[in-house]
Amino acid sequence: MNSGEIRLVHSKPLEGKSILIAGGTGSLGQVLVRRLLAAELGQPGKVIVFSRDEAKQHAMRLAYQQKRVATDEVIYHNFNRLLEFRIGDVRDFHSVAAVLRDADVVFNAAALKQVPTCEYFPFQAVMTNIAGAENMVRAIQEYELPVETVVGISTDKACKPVNVMGMTKAIQERILIQANMRCPETRFICVRYGNVLASRGSVIPLFHEQIKSGGPVTITTLEMTRFLLSLDQAVDAVFAAVCEAQRGETYIPRVPSARIVDVATVLIGNRPVQIEVTGIRPGEKVHEILISEEECHRTVERGNYYVILPLLPELRARDEGVFPLKGEYSSADNLMDRPALEALLRQHRLMVDDVPEARQELRR
């Protein structure tokens, strides 16, 4: 096989592996845990959720032990279970180094991700989003840890960033990609996607509450567009990267997009609820951009994904020859019409009448 050639995809690449999910109690982390335990990429030997919020860990532990309420006894035997919980913070180098000693594959989903919070506390975003990633790389390098793969979970806001959250995630991407040179025995790759349907802090749960309260439904501008990606599609992208990505590559899911005013209109349906335009918020983009004009010239297609090849020439094993994008990849392109949008929302059970069932599904 030539240097740089795509490896044959192993049907069970995570079989028997010890898998660490930093930030594993978040929306993505919970779906990722569920699907890892379903052995889609092989039965893992261990799944470790690493985060600093003991309350969220406790709730997640109860859910997987199928208990509604319990006292501290459910925590005992934690280290003997397939799904293990560890308290720690990616900001703390020593706790990161300790947990990485037991990991074969790492998913870094730990982040400060609320745009306004990061604007008010920018250095806190730096500590989690930048220093947290650096702590992982430093621990693997200094202690020569046998970690096979690290997957950085990034965001559209890292592309042409205009806010602190995006700026810190952009630097995180660069730290992880360059880490392939610092830790040549470990593969560092990234996955970048936009806002996820029905995740914590996203617009659809807000619209649901506003509609149930009789309105108004608030949108910031009539021109605003967003990509429409489910949590399971986000995990699909992560799994595709694990199976196929070369060192330093960034995977981008190819998904539909829509105007936010159309999302609101479809969710409202025939209800007597008004839409109110409130004005764009500080640090907010009108359109999500997943691939910039600079990146499009080193972006290739692989199945349902765009793949950004690494900027650093030392990591570019070979060019794949065909670069399909002539400009940035934006949510303003190829917008869904309202009937297609309604069909998509119904497919994911995200219409207002589906809310309880949709939330129950996300918790499983």
Coordinates of all heavy atoms in Angstrom, one line a residue, residues 79-129:
F79 N -15.6 0.9 38.9 CA -14.5 0.6 38.1 C -14.5 -0.8 37.6 O -13.7 -1.3 36.8 CB -13.2 0.8 38.9 CG -12.9 2.2 39.2 CD1 -13.3 2.8 40.4 CD2 -12.2 3.0 38.3 CE1 -13.1 4.2 40.7 CE2 -12.0 4.4 38.6 CZ -12.4 4.9 39.7
N80 N -15.6 -1.6 38.0 CA -15.8 -3.0 37.5 C -16.8 -3.0 36.4 O -17.0 -4.1 35.9 CB -16.2 -3.9 38.7 CG -15.1 -4.0 39.7 OD1 -14.0 -3.9 39.4 ND2 -15.6 -4.2 41.0
R81 N -17.4 -1.9 36.0 CA -18.4 -1.9 35.0 C -17.9 -1.6 33.7 O -16.9 -0.9 33.5 CB -19.5 -0.9 35.4 CG -20.2 -1.2 36.8 CD -21.3 -0.2 37.1 NE -21.8 -0.4 38.4 CZ -22.8 -1.2 38.7 NH1 -23.3 -2.0 37.8 NH2 -23.3 -1.3 40.0
L82 N -18.6 -2.0 32.6 CA -18.3 -1.7 31.3 C -18.3 -0.2 31.1 O -17.4 0.4 30.4 CB -19.2 -2.4 30.3 CG -19.1 -2.0 28.8 CD1 -17.7 -2.3 28.3 CD2 -20.2 -2.7 28.0
L83 N -19.4 0.5 31.6 CA -19.5 1.9 31.5 C -19.0 2.5 32.8 O -19.6 2.3 33.9 CB -20.9 2.4 31.2 CG -21.2 3.9 31.2 CD1 -20.4 4.5 30.1 CD2 -22.7 4.1 31.0
E84 N -17.9 3.2 32.8 CA -17.3 3.7 34.0 C -17.3 5.3 34.0 O -17.1 5.9 32.9 CB -15.8 3.2 34.0 CG -15.0 3.7 35.2 CD -13.5 3.2 35.0 OE1 -13.4 2.0 34.7 OE2 -12.6 4.0 35.3
F85 N -17.5 5.9 35.1 CA -17.5 7.3 35.3 C -16.3 7.8 36.1 O -16.0 7.2 37.1 CB -18.8 7.8 35.9 CG -20.0 7.5 35.1 CD1 -20.6 6.2 35.2 CD2 -20.5 8.4 34.2 CE1 -21.8 5.9 34.5 CE2 -21.6 8.1 33.5 CZ -22.3 6.9 33.6
R86 N -15.6 8.8 35.6 CA -14.5 9.4 36.3 C -14.7 10.9 36.4 O -14.9 11.6 35.4 CB -13.2 9.1 35.7 CG -12.9 7.6 35.6 CD -11.4 7.4 35.4 NE -11.1 6.0 35.1 CZ -9.9 5.5 34.9 NH1 -8.8 6.3 35.0 NH2 -9.7 4.2 34.6
I87 N -14.5 11.5 37.6 CA -14.6 12.9 37.8 C -13.2 13.5 37.5 O -12.2 13.0 37.9 CB -15.0 13.2 39.2 CG1 -16.4 12.8 39.5 CG2 -14.8 14.7 39.5 CD1 -17.5 13.6 38.8
G88 N -13.2 14.5 36.7 CA -12.0 15.2 36.4 C -12.3 16.4 35.4 O -13.4 16.5 35.0
D89 N -11.2 17.1 35.1 CA -11.4 18.3 34.3 C -10.3 18.4 33.3 O -9.1 18.2 33.6 CB -11.4 19.6 35.2 CG -11.9 20.8 34.5 OD1 -11.8 20.9 33.2 OD2 -12.4 21.7 35.2
V90 N -10.6 18.6 32.0 CA -9.6 18.6 31.0 C -8.6 19.8 31.2 O -7.5 19.8 30.7 CB -10.2 18.8 29.6 CG1 -11.0 17.6 29.1 CG2 -11.1 20.0 29.4
R91 N -9.0 20.7 32.1 CA -8.1 21.8 32.4 C -6.9 21.4 33.3 O -5.9 22.0 33.4 CB -8.8 22.9 33.1 CG -10.0 23.6 32.4 CD -10.6 24.6 33.3 NE -11.7 25.3 32.6 CZ -12.1 26.5 33.0 NH1 -11.6 27.1 34.0 NH2 -13.1 27.1 32.3
D92 N -7.1 20.3 34.0 CA -6.2 19.8 35.0 C -5.3 18.7 34.4 O -5.7 17.6 34.1 CB -7.0 19.2 36.2 CG -6.0 18.6 37.2 OD1 -4.9 19.0 37.3 OD2 -6.5 17.6 37.9
F93 N -4.1 19.1 34.1 CA -3.1 18.2 33.4 C -3.0 16.8 34.1 O -3.0 15.8 33.4 CB -1.8 18.8 33.3 CG -0.7 17.9 32.7 CD1 -0.7 17.6 31.4 CD2 0.2 17.3 33.5 CE1 0.2 16.8 30.8 CE2 1.2 16.5 33.0 CZ 1.2 16.2 31.6
H94 N -2.9 16.8 35.4 CA -2.7 15.6 36.1 C -3.9 14.6 36.0 O -3.7 13.4 35.8 CB -2.3 15.8 37.6 CG -1.1 16.7 37.7 ND1 0.1 16.2 37.5 CD2 -0.9 18.0 38.1 CE1 1.1 17.1 37.7 NE2 0.4 18.2 38.0
S95 N -5.1 15.1 36.1 CA -6.3 14.2 36.0 C -6.4 13.7 34.5 O -6.8 12.6 34.3 CB -7.6 14.9 36.4 OG -7.9 16.0 35.6
V96 N -6.0 14.6 33.5 CA -6.0 14.2 32.1 C -5.0 13.1 31.9 O -5.3 12.1 31.3 CB -5.8 15.4 31.2 CG1 -5.5 14.9 29.8 CG2 -6.9 16.4 31.3
A97 N -3.8 13.3 32.4 CA -2.8 12.3 32.2 C -3.1 11.0 32.9 O -2.9 9.9 32.3 CB -1.4 12.8 32.8
A98 N -3.8 11.0 34.0 CA -4.2 9.8 34.7 C -5.2 9.0 33.9 O -5.1 7.8 33.8 CB -4.7 10.1 36.1
V99 N -6.2 9.7 33.4 CA -7.3 8.9 32.7 C -6.8 8.5 31.3 O -7.3 7.4 30.8 CB -8.6 9.8 32.6 CG1 -8.4 10.9 31.6 CG2 -9.8 9.0 32.4
L100 N -5.9 9.2 30.7 CA -5.4 8.8 29.4 C -4.6 7.5 29.5 O -4.4 6.8 28.4 CB -4.6 9.9 28.7 CG -5.4 11.1 28.2 CD1 -4.4 12.1 27.6 CD2 -6.3 10.6 27.1
R101 N -4.0 7.2 30.6 CA -3.2 6.0 30.8 C -4.1 4.7 30.5 O -3.5 3.7 30.1 CB -2.7 5.9 32.2 CG -1.5 6.9 32.5 CD -1.0 6.6 33.9 NE 0.1 7.6 34.1 CZ 1.4 7.4 33.8 NH1 1.7 6.3 33.1 NH2 2.3 8.3 34.1
D102 N -5.4 4.8 30.6 CA -6.2 3.7 30.4 C -7.0 3.7 29.1 O -8.0 3.0 29.0 CB -7.2 3.6 31.6 CG -6.5 3.4 33.0 OD1 -5.5 2.7 33.0 OD2 -6.9 4.1 33.9
A103 N -6.6 4.6 28.2 CA -7.4 4.8 27.0 C -6.7 4.4 25.7 O -5.5 4.6 25.6 CB -7.8 6.3 26.8
D104 N -7.4 3.7 24.8 CA -6.9 3.4 23.5 C -7.4 4.4 22.5 O -6.7 4.9 21.6 CB -7.4 2.0 23.0 CG -6.9 0.9 23.9 OD1 -5.7 0.9 24.2 OD2 -7.7 0.1 24.3
V105 N -8.7 4.8 22.6 CA -9.3 5.8 21.7 C -9.9 6.9 22.6 O -10.6 6.6 23.6 CB -10.4 5.1 20.8 CG1 -11.0 6.1 19.9 CG2 -9.7 4.0 20.0
V106 N -9.8 8.2 22.2 CA -10.3 9.3 22.9 C -11.2 10.1 22.0 O -10.8 10.5 20.9 CB -9.1 10.2 23.5 CG1 -9.7 11.4 24.2 CG2 -8.2 9.4 24.4
F107 N -12.4 10.5 22.6 CA -13.3 11.4 21.9 C -13.3 12.7 22.8 O -13.7 12.6 24.0 CB -14.7 10.9 21.8 CG -14.8 9.7 20.9 CD1 -14.8 8.4 21.4 CD2 -14.7 9.8 19.5 CE1 -14.9 7.3 20.7 CE2 -14.8 8.7 18.7 CZ -14.9 7.4 19.3
N108 N -12.8 13.8 22.3 CA -12.8 15.0 23.1 C -14.0 15.9 22.8 O -14.0 16.7 21.9 CB -11.5 15.8 22.9 CG -11.4 17.1 23.8 OD1 -12.1 17.1 24.8 ND2 -10.7 18.1 23.3
A109 N -15.1 15.7 23.6 CA -16.3 16.5 23.4 C -16.4 17.5 24.6 O -17.5 18.1 24.7 CB -17.5 15.6 23.4
A110 N -15.4 17.7 25.4 CA -15.4 18.6 26.5 C -15.2 20.0 25.9 O -14.3 20.3 25.2 CB -14.3 18.3 27.5
A111 N -16.1 20.9 26.3 CA -16.0 22.3 25.7 C -16.9 23.3 26.5 O -17.9 22.9 27.1 CB -16.5 22.3 24.2
L112 N -16.5 24.5 26.5 CA -17.4 25.6 26.8 C -18.0 26.0 25.4 O -17.2 26.5 24.6 CB -16.7 26.8 27.5 CG -16.4 26.6 28.9 CD1 -15.8 27.9 29.5 CD2 -17.6 26.2 29.8
K113 N -19.3 25.9 25.2 CA -19.8 26.1 23.8 C -20.9 27.1 23.7 O -21.3 27.4 22.6 CB -20.3 24.7 23.3 CG -21.5 24.2 24.1 CD -22.0 22.9 23.4 CE -23.3 22.4 24.1 NZ -23.8 21.2 23.5
Q114 N -21.4 27.7 24.8 CA -22.4 28.8 24.7 C -21.7 30.1 24.3 O -20.8 30.5 25.0 CB -23.1 29.0 26.0 CG -24.0 27.8 26.3 CD -24.9 28.0 27.5 OE1 -24.6 28.9 28.3 NE2 -26.0 27.3 27.6
V115 N -22.1 30.6 23.2 CA -21.4 31.8 22.6 C -21.4 33.0 23.6 O -20.4 33.6 23.8 CB -22.1 32.2 21.3 CG1 -21.5 33.6 20.8 CG2 -21.7 31.1 20.2
P116 N -22.6 33.4 24.2 CA -22.5 34.5 25.1 C -21.6 34.3 26.3 O -20.9 35.2 26.8 CB -24.0 34.7 25.5 CG -24.8 34.1 24.4 CD -23.9 32.9 24.0
T117 N -21.7 33.0 26.9 CA -20.9 32.7 28.0 C -19.4 32.9 27.7 O -18.6 33.5 28.5 CB -21.1 31.3 28.5 OG1 -22.5 31.1 28.9 CG2 -20.3 30.9 29.7
C118 N -19.0 32.4 26.6 CA -17.6 32.6 26.2 C -17.2 34.0 26.0 O -16.0 34.4 26.2 CB -17.3 31.8 24.9 SG -17.4 30.0 25.1
E119 N -18.1 34.9 25.5 CA -17.8 36.3 25.4 C -17.6 37.0 26.7 O -16.7 37.8 26.9 CB -18.9 37.0 24.6 CG -19.0 36.5 23.1 CD -17.8 36.9 22.3 OE1 -17.2 37.9 22.6 OE2 -17.4 36.0 21.5
Y120 N -18.4 36.6 27.7 CA -18.3 37.2 29.0 C -17.1 36.7 29.8 O -16.6 37.3 30.7 CB -19.6 37.0 29.8 CG -20.7 38.0 29.4 CD1 -21.8 37.5 28.8 CD2 -20.6 39.3 29.7 CE1 -22.9 38.4 28.4 CE2 -21.6 40.2 29.3 CZ -22.7 39.8 28.7 OH -23.7 40.6 28.3
F121 N -16.7 35.4 29.5 CA -15.6 34.8 30.3 C -14.7 34.1 29.3 O -14.5 32.9 29.2 CB -16.2 33.7 31.2 CG -17.2 34.2 32.2 CD1 -18.6 34.0 31.9 CD2 -16.9 34.9 33.3 CE1 -19.6 34.5 32.8 CE2 -17.8 35.4 34.2 CZ -19.2 35.2 33.9
P122 N -14.0 35.0 28.5 CA -13.2 34.5 27.4 C -12.0 33.6 27.8 O -11.7 32.6 27.2 CB -12.7 35.7 26.6 CG -12.9 36.8 27.6 CD -14.0 36.5 28.4
F123 N -11.4 33.9 28.9 CA -10.3 33.1 29.4 C -10.7 31.8 29.9 O -10.0 30.8 29.8 CB -9.4 33.8 30.4 CG -8.1 33.1 30.7 CD1 -7.1 33.1 29.8 CD2 -7.9 32.5 32.0 CE1 -5.9 32.4 30.0 CE2 -6.8 31.8 32.2 CZ -5.7 31.8 31.3
Q124 N -11.9 31.7 30.4 CA -12.5 30.4 30.8 C -12.6 29.5 29.5 O -12.4 28.3 29.6 CB -13.8 30.5 31.5 CG -13.7 31.3 32.8 CD -12.8 30.6 33.8 OE1 -12.9 29.4 34.0 NE2 -12.0 31.3 34.5
A125 N -13.0 30.1 28.4 CA -13.1 29.3 27.2 C -11.8 28.9 26.7 O -11.6 27.7 26.2 CB -13.8 30.2 26.1
V126 N -10.8 29.7 26.9 CA -9.4 29.4 26.5 C -8.9 28.2 27.3 O -8.3 27.2 26.8 CB -8.5 30.6 26.7 CG1 -7.0 30.2 26.6 CG2 -8.7 31.7 25.7
M127 N -9.2 28.2 28.6 CA -8.7 27.1 29.5 C -9.3 25.8 29.1 O -8.7 24.8 29.2 CB -9.1 27.5 31.0 CG -8.3 28.7 31.5 SD -6.5 28.3 31.6 CE -6.5 27.1 33.0
T128 N -10.6 25.8 28.8 CA -11.3 24.5 28.5 C -11.0 24.1 27.1 O -10.6 23.0 26.8 CB -12.8 24.6 28.7 OG1 -13.0 24.8 30.1 CG2 -13.5 23.3 28.3
N129 N -11.3 25.0 26.1 CA -11.2 24.6 24.7 C -9.8 24.5 24.1 O -9.6 23.7 23.2 CB -12.1 25.6 23.9 CG -13.5 25.6 24.3 OD1 -14.0 24.7 25.0 ND2 -14.3 26.6 23.9

